[in-house]
Amino acid sequence: MPRRPAPFTQADVARAVKGAASAGLRVGRVEIAPDGRIIVVSAEAAAPREPSDPFDAWKESRRGAG
């Protein structure tokens, strides 16, 4: 049984990361789906967001309560 071609190559991943970086995106991680889709996730979306003020911190602490 012949091997099927790879759904993506290392060059495809490098091209996607370089393209995202040149567009101004800080790359946080790269996900590759089984069907070969390359998903570039920004560092801002990958990292948890810090509350900007005490009210936002309180809202975050109450999110799981009740």
Side-chain angles (χ1 to χ4, degrees):
M1 184 177 232
R3 291 177 53 148
R4 63 180 185 160
F8 68 93
T9 63
Q10 183 176 356
D12 294 335
V13 175
R15 216 175 289 124
V17 171
K18 283 182 184 179
S22 69
L25 183 72
R26 281 188 31 218
V27 177
R29 70 175 186 263
V30 177
E31 299 174 0
I32 300 173
D35 63 354
R37 285 182 295 132
I38 300 170
I39 304 160
V40 179
V41 180
S42 71
E44 291 81 18
R49 191 177 71 83
E50 292 293 322
S52 60
D53 60 15
F55 180 67
D56 286 338
W58 176 81
K59 283 194 307 188
E60 286 294 318
S61 71
R62 300 293 297 167
R63 180 171 284 183

